[in-house]
Amino acid sequence: MEALGAWRQRVASELDAVVAFWERNSHDPQLGGFFSCLSHEGNVYDDTKYVWMQGRQVWVYSRLYRTVPRFRRPELLEAARAGGEFLLRFAPLGPDSPRVAFALTRDGRPVRTQRNPYSEAFVAVGLDELGRAAGEPRYRAAGRSWALALLGWVRGAPLELGPPQFSGSPPRQALALPLMALTVAEQLLGGDPKTQEPGGDPQIEELAEWGAHAALRHLQRGDSVVLENVSPEGRELPGSLGRLMNPGHALEAGWLLLGFSGRRGEAALGTRALGALVTGPLAWGWDPQHGGLFAFLDADGHCPTQLEWSMKLWWPHLEAMVALLAAYEHRPDPKFLEDFDRVATYAFDKFRDPEHGEWFGYLSREGNVALSLKGGPYKGCFHVPRALMMCEEMLGRILEREGASK
Amino acid sequence: MEALGAWRQRVASELDAVVAFWERNSHDPQLGGFFSCLSHEGNVYDDTKYVWMQGRQVWVYSRLYRTVPRFRRPELLEAARAGGEFLLRFAPLGPDSPRVAFALTRDGRPVRTQRNPYSEAFVAVGLDELGRAAGEPRYRAAGRSWALALLGWVRGAPLELGPPQFSGSPPRQALALPLMALTVAEQLLGGDPKTQEPGGDPQIEELAEWGAHAALRHLQRGDSVVLENVSPEGRELPGSLGRLMNPGHALEAGWLLLGFSGRRGEAALGTRALGALVTGPLAWGWDPQHGGLFAFLDADGHCPTQLEWSMKLWWPHLEAMVALLAAYEHRPDPKFLEDFDRVATYAFDKFRDPEHGEWFGYLSREGNVALSLKGGPYKGCFHVPRALMMCEEMLGRILEREGASK
């Protein structure tokens, strides 16, 4: 097993290379905003600007600027601000609509929407963090208005442009929704445990509580599985939809719930998250034949209908790295560090591009690069830098706590 | 190269095995309609009934009953009729709506719709062929009403539940729409060249003409590429969307246009289809490294953003087999038979399941089975039996014309 100190160095230097890739290739100084469709060398192959990716990159740059001393460079904050201004100006579908576009043309005209409210959530986290980094309350106020829209929707307010409902379609909750609610709420409540203000924003605290409790409804069959879709009351749904599992989402839920339970002092919740959302998904989600985490599985062992089910995607491996270090901080069991070493070794070996920076996103089941692109409609400047900065910070705390011997 | 007579025997015996798979596993005698979510052994893993799959299976059973003597079994027609009745009763979204559901519960309640009008098109072809097989005009009249709805939509009538339009989204035409229009129209105009009634139904003839001419708009760059999405005027669209190519759709367009041009005596159109829609896509769509047709490609050689772009799907290979025999019937160049032998050999080797019948649908780029299922939301009783029955018929005609020596 590689020493933790060596991992911290490797993670930090990879973070530098990854951020450099995005700074070098994704900015649009003419029209603002960020390109995300980048080839493996960093060339723009499509100039569509995806709102998820704008909000996420604003968040990454702002968080790096605010919390990682070597990234406190004015040009990084300026790039984040340019992204935030682009979002404020072009993302909303209209002055009276809380909904934002999913994709924009290079010059900011709306191309299409999504039925789900995830674009709004990424706008909220990006603007809130920009407000903190820049010290400008107006960004945080704008972010909060989208967070409150999300609170309204999870409470049941009708979602403009949402999916039509039919009698044969049972109401369902996708795990992504509580994960988004928890991500937004924890961001607005402080971003990291040291700066929380408990009770400071009851509405946002309600959003966090809804997210945490709604996420738990996806733990089924005595916590032995995590189902991607359940009824709003937490019952299993029939068919492939009801049996679908997504190891990456389960592991992301793991570290989000560990953070929530730590902040709130809910020890039992933390213990449950460790077992059902970290140890569990790493076991059932791992490909025993070729290594790596599957994209999707069926809880009863049927073949999933998603064509990419057995592909190895970059982000579940990064969620696993974060979840395992968060688990070790919660309960210092060396098994978590051994698993971190195994997952991080697989991820660095398979996804990393030492030549051009940033990771490949999509491998075949066997672990070969299947899509040579570095960014696209759903992959931008987010999972790699977010996970690396979180891992660097956690590895630093662990090393500090345990002394330099490890 | 395998002799044509041997191919005819192989194709015919495979058709028998495939139809037996669906007759054995997909019927629902209790509630009507067909299951399509079947495991590799034929077990139902999800009982959702997809409207595409209902219309397609009704078509396959009815066409086999009507045109292939060994399938003229009353139970096959009865199964088709049960499927048709299920569609008439449950597919429409309402008494005043021309739109039908995309998916139904086992007992026929609507689950969801699609924005595009392909479900309606498959209902039209299924009911028209059922009406011919059963000798019951009411099925054909119902099929025609959906064909006329499709004609209205391609003429520009607003599509209820269609996609919202935004200022940054250029109007676009997907190749699937002219292919559907041509499929529906050629079905209603006779189904095969021997029974055409030219001028017999001017509105449906207009639908065929629209389909043929609209399909040609996708031939770009001097006919060297076939683009999946173009402007309604036939101009290239920007970005990945505009550069997307789908070899299977191009080859399907090939045999559909050969049929249209043959029926109408438009020789120049047939020649153009041979080059741009048969020879071309077989060359640029074939994987030189592992064999087989790619699912998607980018016309400028960028990496497509579709995660499955390099996977080998069953249906493009079947469209290629049909297109190559249709090409040979159009112009008896032995190159087409050599290519048929190459594609059919790949397809029979890789997709066929000699144990349980019906083909696997989804292989990795390397040609290994990636999804073990035999049917799902988008794969049912359609492409394999349709192509095999068309190939058996064409091989029979070719052998008859050329004598038994080949």
PDB file of all heavy atoms in Angstrom, chain A residues 45-46 105 110-111 166 168-169 239-240 243 303 305 307 309 362 370 372, chain B residues 45-46 105 110-111 113 166 168-169 239-240 243 303 307 309 362 370:
ATOM      1  N   TYR A  45     -14.558  20.845 -29.359  1.00  0.00           N
ATOM      2  CA  TYR A  45     -15.195  20.189 -30.505  1.00  0.00           C
ATOM      3  C   TYR A  45     -16.666  20.552 -30.616  1.00  0.00           C
ATOM      4  O   TYR A  45     -17.351  20.152 -31.567  1.00  0.00           O
ATOM      5  CB  TYR A  45     -15.002  18.662 -30.458  1.00  0.00           C
ATOM      6  CG  TYR A  45     -15.640  17.978 -29.278  1.00  0.00           C
ATOM      7  CD1 TYR A  45     -16.987  17.623 -29.295  1.00  0.00           C
ATOM      8  CD2 TYR A  45     -14.900  17.692 -28.144  1.00  0.00           C
ATOM      9  CE1 TYR A  45     -17.571  17.004 -28.223  1.00  0.00           C
ATOM     10  CE2 TYR A  45     -15.480  17.071 -27.055  1.00  0.00           C
ATOM     11  CZ  TYR A  45     -16.819  16.725 -27.103  1.00  0.00           C
ATOM     12  OH  TYR A  45     -17.412  16.114 -26.027  1.00  0.00           O
ATOM     13  N   ASP A  46     -17.191  21.315 -29.667  1.00  0.00           N
ATOM     14  CA  ASP A  46     -18.583  21.773 -29.691  1.00  0.00           C
ATOM     15  C   ASP A  46     -18.638  22.942 -28.725  1.00  0.00           C
ATOM     16  O   ASP A  46     -18.130  22.834 -27.602  1.00  0.00           O
ATOM     17  CB  ASP A  46     -19.515  20.641 -29.237  1.00  0.00           C
ATOM     18  CG  ASP A  46     -20.994  20.994 -29.352  1.00  0.00           C
ATOM     19  OD1 ASP A  46     -21.392  22.046 -28.811  1.00  0.00           O
ATOM     20  OD2 ASP A  46     -21.747  20.226 -29.972  1.00  0.00           O
ATOM     21  N   THR A 105     -26.408  28.312 -26.204  1.00  0.00           N
ATOM     22  CA  THR A 105     -25.446  28.514 -27.286  1.00  0.00           C
ATOM     23  C   THR A 105     -24.225  29.250 -26.734  1.00  0.00           C
ATOM     24  O   THR A 105     -24.238  29.775 -25.623  1.00  0.00           O
ATOM     25  CB  THR A 105     -26.050  29.368 -28.412  1.00  0.00           C
ATOM     26  OG1 THR A 105     -26.452  30.614 -27.847  1.00  0.00           O
ATOM     27  CG2 THR A 105     -27.252  28.685 -29.035  1.00  0.00           C
ATOM     28  N   PRO A 110     -30.918  30.079 -25.081  1.00  0.00           N
ATOM     29  CA  PRO A 110     -31.289  28.746 -24.568  1.00  0.00           C
ATOM     30  C   PRO A 110     -31.473  27.735 -25.692  1.00  0.00           C
ATOM     31  O   PRO A 110     -32.061  28.028 -26.726  1.00  0.00           O
ATOM     32  CB  PRO A 110     -32.608  29.000 -23.843  1.00  0.00           C
ATOM     33  CG  PRO A 110     -33.151  30.254 -24.437  1.00  0.00           C
ATOM     34  CD  PRO A 110     -31.966  31.085 -24.850  1.00  0.00           C
ATOM     35  N   VAL A 111     -30.938  26.542 -25.500  1.00  0.00           N
ATOM     36  CA  VAL A 111     -31.052  25.457 -26.471  1.00  0.00           C
ATOM     37  C   VAL A 111     -32.084  24.450 -26.003  1.00  0.00           C
ATOM     38  O   VAL A 111     -32.945  24.025 -26.764  1.00  0.00           O
ATOM     39  CB  VAL A 111     -29.686  24.764 -26.675  1.00  0.00           C
ATOM     40  CG1 VAL A 111     -29.814  23.559 -27.593  1.00  0.00           C
ATOM     41  CG2 VAL A 111     -28.666  25.748 -27.218  1.00  0.00           C
ATOM     42  N   PHE A 166     -48.802  10.325 -15.830  1.00  0.00           N
ATOM     43  CA  PHE A 166     -49.798   9.412 -16.387  1.00  0.00           C
ATOM     44  C   PHE A 166     -50.203   8.404 -15.327  1.00  0.00           C
ATOM     45  O   PHE A 166     -49.427   8.120 -14.401  1.00  0.00           O
ATOM     46  CB  PHE A 166     -49.238   8.709 -17.622  1.00  0.00           C
ATOM     47  CG  PHE A 166     -48.938   9.650 -18.746  1.00  0.00           C
ATOM     48  CD1 PHE A 166     -47.637  10.006 -19.059  1.00  0.00           C
ATOM     49  CD2 PHE A 166     -49.980  10.208 -19.481  1.00  0.00           C
ATOM     50  CE1 PHE A 166     -47.367  10.893 -20.085  1.00  0.00           C
ATOM     51  CE2 PHE A 166     -49.714  11.100 -20.515  1.00  0.00           C
ATOM     52  CZ  PHE A 166     -48.401  11.438 -20.817  1.00  0.00           C
ATOM     53  N   GLY A 168     -50.385   5.258 -15.287  1.00  0.00           N
ATOM     54  CA  GLY A 168     -49.601   4.042 -15.117  1.00  0.00           C
ATOM     55  C   GLY A 168     -48.205   4.286 -14.575  1.00  0.00           C
ATOM     56  O   GLY A 168     -47.436   3.339 -14.412  1.00  0.00           O
ATOM     57  N   SER A 169     -47.883   5.540 -14.314  1.00  0.00           N
ATOM     58  CA  SER A 169     -46.537   5.884 -13.867  1.00  0.00           C
ATOM     59  C   SER A 169     -46.577   6.196 -12.380  1.00  0.00           C
ATOM     60  O   SER A 169     -47.050   7.256 -11.980  1.00  0.00           O
ATOM     61  CB  SER A 169     -46.051   7.099 -14.661  1.00  0.00           C
ATOM     62  OG  SER A 169     -44.777   7.482 -14.240  1.00  0.00           O
ATOM     63  N   GLY A 239     -40.189  -3.622 -11.513  1.00  0.00           N
ATOM     64  CA  GLY A 239     -39.468  -3.645 -12.782  1.00  0.00           C
ATOM     65  C   GLY A 239     -38.022  -3.178 -12.706  1.00  0.00           C
ATOM     66  O   GLY A 239     -37.465  -2.956 -11.626  1.00  0.00           O
ATOM     67  N   SER A 240     -37.439  -3.030 -13.891  1.00  0.00           N
ATOM     68  CA  SER A 240     -36.028  -2.627 -13.998  1.00  0.00           C
ATOM     69  C   SER A 240     -35.775  -1.288 -13.317  1.00  0.00           C
ATOM     70  O   SER A 240     -34.738  -1.093 -12.676  1.00  0.00           O
ATOM     71  CB  SER A 240     -35.627  -2.497 -15.470  1.00  0.00           C
ATOM     72  OG  SER A 240     -35.738  -3.724 -16.138  1.00  0.00           O
ATOM     73  N   ARG A 243     -35.390  -1.713  -9.649  1.00  0.00           N
ATOM     74  CA  ARG A 243     -34.241  -2.513  -9.197  1.00  0.00           C
ATOM     75  C   ARG A 243     -32.898  -1.870  -9.544  1.00  0.00           C
ATOM     76  O   ARG A 243     -31.843  -2.403  -9.202  1.00  0.00           O
ATOM     77  CB  ARG A 243     -34.292  -3.910  -9.825  1.00  0.00           C
ATOM     78  CG  ARG A 243     -35.485  -4.750  -9.403  1.00  0.00           C
ATOM     79  CD  ARG A 243     -35.341  -6.182  -9.908  1.00  0.00           C
ATOM     80  NE  ARG A 243     -35.132  -6.245 -11.334  1.00  0.00           N
ATOM     81  CZ  ARG A 243     -36.089  -6.441 -12.246  1.00  0.00           C
ATOM     82  NH1 ARG A 243     -37.349  -6.584 -11.869  1.00  0.00           N
ATOM     83  NH2 ARG A 243     -35.788  -6.494 -13.522  1.00  0.00           N
ATOM     84  N   CYS A 303     -29.778  -8.337 -16.099  1.00  0.00           N
ATOM     85  CA  CYS A 303     -28.967  -7.418 -16.883  1.00  0.00           C
ATOM     86  C   CYS A 303     -29.650  -6.045 -16.889  1.00  0.00           C
ATOM     87  O   CYS A 303     -30.823  -5.941 -17.245  1.00  0.00           O
ATOM     88  CB  CYS A 303     -28.839  -7.937 -18.322  1.00  0.00           C
ATOM     89  SG  CYS A 303     -27.893  -6.835 -19.379  1.00  0.00           S
ATOM     90  N   THR A 305     -30.789  -2.439 -18.366  1.00  0.00           N
ATOM     91  CA  THR A 305     -31.109  -2.082 -19.750  1.00  0.00           C
ATOM     92  C   THR A 305     -30.262  -0.896 -20.232  1.00  0.00           C
ATOM     93  O   THR A 305     -30.317  -0.574 -21.423  1.00  0.00           O
ATOM     94  CB  THR A 305     -32.599  -1.739 -19.909  1.00  0.00           C
ATOM     95  OG1 THR A 305     -32.918  -0.667 -19.024  1.00  0.00           O
ATOM     96  CG2 THR A 305     -33.472  -2.938 -19.565  1.00  0.00           C
ATOM     97  N   LEU A 307     -27.225   0.730 -21.771  1.00  0.00           N
ATOM     98  CA  LEU A 307     -26.179   0.139 -22.612  1.00  0.00           C
ATOM     99  C   LEU A 307     -24.801   0.256 -21.958  1.00  0.00           C
ATOM    100  O   LEU A 307     -23.926  -0.574 -22.200  1.00  0.00           O
ATOM    101  CB  LEU A 307     -26.156   0.802 -23.990  1.00  0.00           C
ATOM    102  CG  LEU A 307     -27.443   0.732 -24.820  1.00  0.00           C
ATOM    103  CD1 LEU A 307     -27.150   1.008 -26.277  1.00  0.00           C
ATOM    104  CD2 LEU A 307     -28.163  -0.584 -24.664  1.00  0.00           C
ATOM    105  N   TRP A 309     -24.027  -0.033 -18.802  1.00  0.00           N
ATOM    106  CA  TRP A 309     -24.059  -0.496 -17.407  1.00  0.00           C
ATOM    107  C   TRP A 309     -22.701  -1.021 -16.922  1.00  0.00           C
ATOM    108  O   TRP A 309     -22.328  -0.806 -15.770  1.00  0.00           O
ATOM    109  CB  TRP A 309     -25.148  -1.560 -17.201  1.00  0.00           C
ATOM    110  CG  TRP A 309     -24.779  -2.942 -17.690  1.00  0.00           C
ATOM    111  CD1 TRP A 309     -25.014  -3.455 -18.931  1.00  0.00           C
ATOM    112  CD2 TRP A 309     -24.101  -3.971 -16.963  1.00  0.00           C
ATOM    113  NE1 TRP A 309     -24.523  -4.724 -19.023  1.00  0.00           N
ATOM    114  CE2 TRP A 309     -23.958  -5.076 -17.829  1.00  0.00           C
ATOM    115  CE3 TRP A 309     -23.603  -4.077 -15.656  1.00  0.00           C
ATOM    116  CZ2 TRP A 309     -23.340  -6.266 -17.433  1.00  0.00           C
ATOM    117  CZ3 TRP A 309     -22.986  -5.254 -15.263  1.00  0.00           C
ATOM    118  CH2 TRP A 309     -22.860  -6.335 -16.152  1.00  0.00           C
ATOM    119  N   TYR A 362     -14.617   7.752 -19.667  1.00  0.00           N
ATOM    120  CA  TYR A 362     -15.431   6.592 -20.001  1.00  0.00           C
ATOM    121  C   TYR A 362     -14.554   5.456 -20.520  1.00  0.00           C
ATOM    122  O   TYR A 362     -13.970   5.563 -21.603  1.00  0.00           O
ATOM    123  CB  TYR A 362     -16.470   6.979 -21.062  1.00  0.00           C
ATOM    124  CG  TYR A 362     -17.304   8.188 -20.679  1.00  0.00           C
ATOM    125  CD1 TYR A 362     -16.925   9.473 -21.059  1.00  0.00           C
ATOM    126  CD2 TYR A 362     -18.446   8.039 -19.896  1.00  0.00           C
ATOM    127  CE1 TYR A 362     -17.673  10.589 -20.687  1.00  0.00           C
ATOM    128  CE2 TYR A 362     -19.205   9.141 -19.523  1.00  0.00           C
ATOM    129  CZ  TYR A 362     -18.816  10.415 -19.924  1.00  0.00           C
ATOM    130  OH  TYR A 362     -19.557  11.505 -19.551  1.00  0.00           O
ATOM    131  N   ALA A 370     -12.764   4.276 -23.813  1.00  0.00           N
ATOM    132  CA  ALA A 370     -13.785   4.069 -24.850  1.00  0.00           C
ATOM    133  C   ALA A 370     -14.151   5.383 -25.527  1.00  0.00           C
ATOM    134  O   ALA A 370     -14.503   5.399 -26.706  1.00  0.00           O
ATOM    135  CB  ALA A 370     -15.034   3.429 -24.244  1.00  0.00           C
ATOM    136  N   SER A 372     -12.524   9.163 -26.131  1.00  0.00           N
ATOM    137  CA  SER A 372     -11.247   9.862 -25.943  1.00  0.00           C
ATOM    138  C   SER A 372     -11.444  11.277 -25.418  1.00  0.00           C
ATOM    139  O   SER A 372     -10.479  11.928 -25.033  1.00  0.00           O
ATOM    140  CB  SER A 372     -10.479   9.906 -27.270  1.00  0.00           C
ATOM    141  OG  SER A 372     -11.219  10.639 -28.228  1.00  0.00           O
TER     142      SER A 372
ATOM    143  N   TYR B  45     -38.233 -10.048 -17.352  1.00  0.00           N
ATOM    144  CA  TYR B  45     -37.614  -9.369 -16.209  1.00  0.00           C
ATOM    145  C   TYR B  45     -38.269  -8.026 -15.925  1.00  0.00           C
ATOM    146  O   TYR B  45     -37.939  -7.351 -14.948  1.00  0.00           O
ATOM    147  CB  TYR B  45     -36.096  -9.221 -16.391  1.00  0.00           C
ATOM    148  CG  TYR B  45     -35.679  -8.352 -17.555  1.00  0.00           C
ATOM    149  CD1 TYR B  45     -35.630  -6.959 -17.428  1.00  0.00           C
ATOM    150  CD2 TYR B  45     -35.347  -8.907 -18.778  1.00  0.00           C
ATOM    151  CE1 TYR B  45     -35.268  -6.154 -18.492  1.00  0.00           C
ATOM    152  CE2 TYR B  45     -34.976  -8.113 -19.852  1.00  0.00           C
ATOM    153  CZ  TYR B  45     -34.947  -6.739 -19.702  1.00  0.00           C
ATOM    154  OH  TYR B  45     -34.588  -5.946 -20.760  1.00  0.00           O
ATOM    155  N   ASP B  46     -39.223  -7.624 -16.760  1.00  0.00           N
ATOM    156  CA  ASP B  46     -39.968  -6.370 -16.559  1.00  0.00           C
ATOM    157  C   ASP B  46     -41.215  -6.503 -17.420  1.00  0.00           C
ATOM    158  O   ASP B  46     -41.116  -6.875 -18.591  1.00  0.00           O
ATOM    159  CB  ASP B  46     -39.109  -5.170 -17.001  1.00  0.00           C
ATOM    160  CG  ASP B  46     -39.765  -3.828 -16.712  1.00  0.00           C
ATOM    161  OD1 ASP B  46     -40.934  -3.632 -17.119  1.00  0.00           O
ATOM    162  OD2 ASP B  46     -39.109  -2.976 -16.093  1.00  0.00           O
ATOM    163  N   THR B 105     -48.353   0.022 -18.727  1.00  0.00           N
ATOM    164  CA  THR B 105     -48.239  -1.040 -17.727  1.00  0.00           C
ATOM    165  C   THR B 105     -48.744  -2.350 -18.337  1.00  0.00           C
ATOM    166  O   THR B 105     -49.361  -2.364 -19.403  1.00  0.00           O
ATOM    167  CB  THR B 105     -49.086  -0.732 -16.481  1.00  0.00           C
ATOM    168  OG1 THR B 105     -50.441  -0.580 -16.918  1.00  0.00           O
ATOM    169  CG2 THR B 105     -48.617   0.546 -15.802  1.00  0.00           C
ATOM    170  N   PRO B 110     -51.159   4.089 -19.251  1.00  0.00           N
ATOM    171  CA  PRO B 110     -49.997   4.797 -19.821  1.00  0.00           C
ATOM    172  C   PRO B 110     -48.946   5.100 -18.762  1.00  0.00           C
ATOM    173  O   PRO B 110     -49.271   5.523 -17.652  1.00  0.00           O
ATOM    174  CB  PRO B 110     -50.601   6.087 -20.383  1.00  0.00           C
ATOM    175  CG  PRO B 110     -51.873   6.284 -19.637  1.00  0.00           C
ATOM    176  CD  PRO B 110     -52.390   4.908 -19.303  1.00  0.00           C
ATOM    177  N   VAL B 111     -47.698   4.874 -19.113  1.00  0.00           N
ATOM    178  CA  VAL B 111     -46.571   5.144 -18.222  1.00  0.00           C
ATOM    179  C   VAL B 111     -45.857   6.420 -18.650  1.00  0.00           C
ATOM    180  O   VAL B 111     -45.550   7.275 -17.840  1.00  0.00           O
ATOM    181  CB  VAL B 111     -45.578   3.967 -18.210  1.00  0.00           C
ATOM    182  CG1 VAL B 111     -44.337   4.285 -17.388  1.00  0.00           C
ATOM    183  CG2 VAL B 111     -46.261   2.709 -17.701  1.00  0.00           C
ATOM    184  N   THR B 113     -44.803   9.068 -22.426  1.00  0.00           N
ATOM    185  CA  THR B 113     -44.860   9.354 -23.858  1.00  0.00           C
ATOM    186  C   THR B 113     -43.455   9.680 -24.339  1.00  0.00           C
ATOM    187  O   THR B 113     -42.551   9.892 -23.553  1.00  0.00           O
ATOM    188  CB  THR B 113     -45.723  10.603 -24.129  1.00  0.00           C
ATOM    189  OG1 THR B 113     -45.221  11.671 -23.326  1.00  0.00           O
ATOM    190  CG2 THR B 113     -47.162  10.344 -23.810  1.00  0.00           C
ATOM    191  N   PHE B 166     -36.791  26.620 -28.200  1.00  0.00           N
ATOM    192  CA  PHE B 166     -36.080  27.755 -27.630  1.00  0.00           C
ATOM    193  C   PHE B 166     -35.297  28.460 -28.724  1.00  0.00           C
ATOM    194  O   PHE B 166     -34.941  27.858 -29.746  1.00  0.00           O
ATOM    195  CB  PHE B 166     -35.149  27.283 -26.517  1.00  0.00           C
ATOM    196  CG  PHE B 166     -35.883  26.700 -25.355  1.00  0.00           C
ATOM    197  CD1 PHE B 166     -35.914  25.328 -25.148  1.00  0.00           C
ATOM    198  CD2 PHE B 166     -36.578  27.524 -24.477  1.00  0.00           C
ATOM    199  CE1 PHE B 166     -36.617  24.788 -24.082  1.00  0.00           C
ATOM    200  CE2 PHE B 166     -37.275  26.984 -23.406  1.00  0.00           C
ATOM    201  CZ  PHE B 166     -37.298  25.610 -23.208  1.00  0.00           C
ATOM    202  N   GLY B 168     -32.279  29.363 -29.005  1.00  0.00           N
ATOM    203  CA  GLY B 168     -30.941  28.893 -29.345  1.00  0.00           C
ATOM    204  C   GLY B 168     -30.925  27.528 -30.000  1.00  0.00           C
ATOM    205  O   GLY B 168     -29.863  26.990 -30.309  1.00  0.00           O
ATOM    206  N   SER B 169     -32.102  26.949 -30.180  1.00  0.00           N
ATOM    207  CA  SER B 169     -32.190  25.596 -30.726  1.00  0.00           C
ATOM    208  C   SER B 169     -32.645  25.673 -32.170  1.00  0.00           C
ATOM    209  O   SER B 169     -33.815  25.927 -32.443  1.00  0.00           O
ATOM    210  CB  SER B 169     -33.188  24.801 -29.888  1.00  0.00           C
ATOM    211  OG  SER B 169     -33.325  23.512 -30.403  1.00  0.00           O
ATOM    212  N   GLY B 239     -21.797  21.751 -34.444  1.00  0.00           N
ATOM    213  CA  GLY B 239     -21.496  20.963 -33.249  1.00  0.00           C
ATOM    214  C   GLY B 239     -21.648  19.463 -33.433  1.00  0.00           C
ATOM    215  O   GLY B 239     -21.846  18.949 -34.538  1.00  0.00           O
ATOM    216  N   SER B 240     -21.548  18.770 -32.313  1.00  0.00           N
ATOM    217  CA  SER B 240     -21.620  17.304 -32.314  1.00  0.00           C
ATOM    218  C   SER B 240     -22.930  16.809 -32.908  1.00  0.00           C
ATOM    219  O   SER B 240     -22.960  15.813 -33.632  1.00  0.00           O
ATOM    220  CB  SER B 240     -21.512  16.766 -30.879  1.00  0.00           C
ATOM    221  OG  SER B 240     -20.273  17.100 -30.316  1.00  0.00           O
ATOM    222  N   ARG B 243     -22.782  16.816 -36.622  1.00  0.00           N
ATOM    223  CA  ARG B 243     -21.805  15.914 -37.245  1.00  0.00           C
ATOM    224  C   ARG B 243     -22.108  14.441 -36.992  1.00  0.00           C
ATOM    225  O   ARG B 243     -21.399  13.556 -37.472  1.00  0.00           O
ATOM    226  CB  ARG B 243     -20.399  16.227 -36.724  1.00  0.00           C
ATOM    227  CG  ARG B 243     -19.886  17.608 -37.097  1.00  0.00           C
ATOM    228  CD  ARG B 243     -18.407  17.754 -36.735  1.00  0.00           C
ATOM    229  NE  ARG B 243     -18.155  17.457 -35.349  1.00  0.00           N
ATOM    230  CZ  ARG B 243     -18.079  18.356 -34.355  1.00  0.00           C
ATOM    231  NH1 ARG B 243     -18.242  19.631 -34.616  1.00  0.00           N
ATOM    232  NH2 ARG B 243     -17.845  17.973 -33.120  1.00  0.00           N
ATOM    233  N   CYS B 303     -14.503  12.354 -31.305  1.00  0.00           N
ATOM    234  CA  CYS B 303     -15.151  11.290 -30.537  1.00  0.00           C
ATOM    235  C   CYS B 303     -16.622  11.643 -30.349  1.00  0.00           C
ATOM    236  O   CYS B 303     -16.934  12.733 -29.884  1.00  0.00           O
ATOM    237  CB  CYS B 303     -14.467  11.166 -29.167  1.00  0.00           C
ATOM    238  SG  CYS B 303     -15.229   9.928 -28.116  1.00  0.00           S
ATOM    239  N   LEU B 307     -22.192   7.377 -25.223  1.00  0.00           N
ATOM    240  CA  LEU B 307     -21.310   6.428 -24.533  1.00  0.00           C
ATOM    241  C   LEU B 307     -21.196   5.114 -25.306  1.00  0.00           C
ATOM    242  O   LEU B 307     -20.184   4.427 -25.225  1.00  0.00           O
ATOM    243  CB  LEU B 307     -21.817   6.159 -23.111  1.00  0.00           C
ATOM    244  CG  LEU B 307     -21.944   7.365 -22.179  1.00  0.00           C
ATOM    245  CD1 LEU B 307     -22.018   6.909 -20.731  1.00  0.00           C
ATOM    246  CD2 LEU B 307     -20.830   8.365 -22.358  1.00  0.00           C
ATOM    247  N   TRP B 309     -21.063   4.681 -28.537  1.00  0.00           N
ATOM    248  CA  TRP B 309     -20.737   4.918 -29.951  1.00  0.00           C
ATOM    249  C   TRP B 309     -19.987   3.761 -30.601  1.00  0.00           C
ATOM    250  O   TRP B 309     -20.229   3.441 -31.761  1.00  0.00           O
ATOM    251  CB  TRP B 309     -19.958   6.224 -30.133  1.00  0.00           C
ATOM    252  CG  TRP B 309     -18.504   6.151 -29.784  1.00  0.00           C
ATOM    253  CD1 TRP B 309     -17.945   6.390 -28.567  1.00  0.00           C
ATOM    254  CD2 TRP B 309     -17.422   5.791 -30.659  1.00  0.00           C
ATOM    255  NE1 TRP B 309     -16.583   6.204 -28.635  1.00  0.00           N
ATOM    256  CE2 TRP B 309     -16.228   5.831 -29.899  1.00  0.00           C
ATOM    257  CE3 TRP B 309     -17.340   5.433 -32.011  1.00  0.00           C
ATOM    258  CZ2 TRP B 309     -14.977   5.532 -30.438  1.00  0.00           C
ATOM    259  CZ3 TRP B 309     -16.100   5.134 -32.552  1.00  0.00           C
ATOM    260  CH2 TRP B 309     -14.931   5.180 -31.770  1.00  0.00           C
ATOM    261  N   TYR B 362     -26.481  -6.281 -27.994  1.00  0.00           N
ATOM    262  CA  TYR B 362     -25.499  -5.249 -27.677  1.00  0.00           C
ATOM    263  C   TYR B 362     -24.160  -5.890 -27.334  1.00  0.00           C
ATOM    264  O   TYR B 362     -24.031  -6.578 -26.326  1.00  0.00           O
ATOM    265  CB  TYR B 362     -25.999  -4.408 -26.503  1.00  0.00           C
ATOM    266  CG  TYR B 362     -27.390  -3.847 -26.711  1.00  0.00           C
ATOM    267  CD1 TYR B 362     -28.532  -4.544 -26.274  1.00  0.00           C
ATOM    268  CD2 TYR B 362     -27.577  -2.635 -27.367  1.00  0.00           C
ATOM    269  CE1 TYR B 362     -29.809  -4.035 -26.475  1.00  0.00           C
ATOM    270  CE2 TYR B 362     -28.847  -2.113 -27.571  1.00  0.00           C
ATOM    271  CZ  TYR B 362     -29.963  -2.825 -27.124  1.00  0.00           C
ATOM    272  OH  TYR B 362     -31.214  -2.319 -27.329  1.00  0.00           O
ATOM    273  N   ALA B 370     -22.304  -7.612 -24.331  1.00  0.00           N
ATOM    274  CA  ALA B 370     -22.220  -6.656 -23.221  1.00  0.00           C
ATOM    275  C   ALA B 370     -23.509  -6.642 -22.409  1.00  0.00           C
ATOM    276  O   ALA B 370     -23.491  -6.401 -21.211  1.00  0.00           O
ATOM    277  CB  ALA B 370     -21.923  -5.257 -23.749  1.00  0.00           C
TER     278      ALA B 370
END
